[in-house]
Amino acid sequence: MPTPLRTLLLVVTLTPAAAAQTGFNWVKIGNPGNAPDPVDSHGAVDYEYYMSTTEVTNAQYAGFLNEVDPTGANALRLWNSSMGSC
């Protein structure tokens, strides 16, 4: 049985300058202050964020992590230990 294809779209909160330095094509998402869905209360976002416009490979994501966090401190919480088992 073939391994299922996993697609990752990178979604992060970065400054425009930091986003430009990563080498990804980004689109700004957000409507700060938008109301949640009245039925399920989901969807409210009180900040703008960026999403990659194309799929991202594991190698690209690892490079991104090393670019934005060269010390491995994980201050932006962009990685967690469960990602190693995907």
Side-chain angles (χ1 to χ4, degrees):
M1 176 177 233
T3 303
L5 178 63
R6 292 191 172 103
T7 301
L8 171 68
L9 287 177
L10 201 52
V11 179
V12 295
T13 303
L14 294 173
T15 65
Q21 292 175 352
T22 63
F24 290 100
N25 293 318
W26 300 98
V27 62
K28 188 176 1 179
I29 306 289
N31 181 11
N34 67 317
D37 184 287
V39 175
D40 62 14
S41 300
H42 293 104
V45 178
D46 60 356
Y47 56 89
E48 292 181 337
Y49 58 95
Y50 292 85
M51 181 184 295
S52 65
T53 59
T54 59
E55 296 174 357
V56 177
T57 67
N58 288 340
Q60 288 173 312
Y61 186 60
F64 165 78
L65 291 175
N66 290 328
E67 177 89 20
V68 299
D69 186 17
T71 67
N74 200 27
L76 299 173
R77 299 182 341 182
L78 298 173
W79 182 85
N80 67 58
S81 60
S82 67
M83 290 178 170
S85 63
C86 293

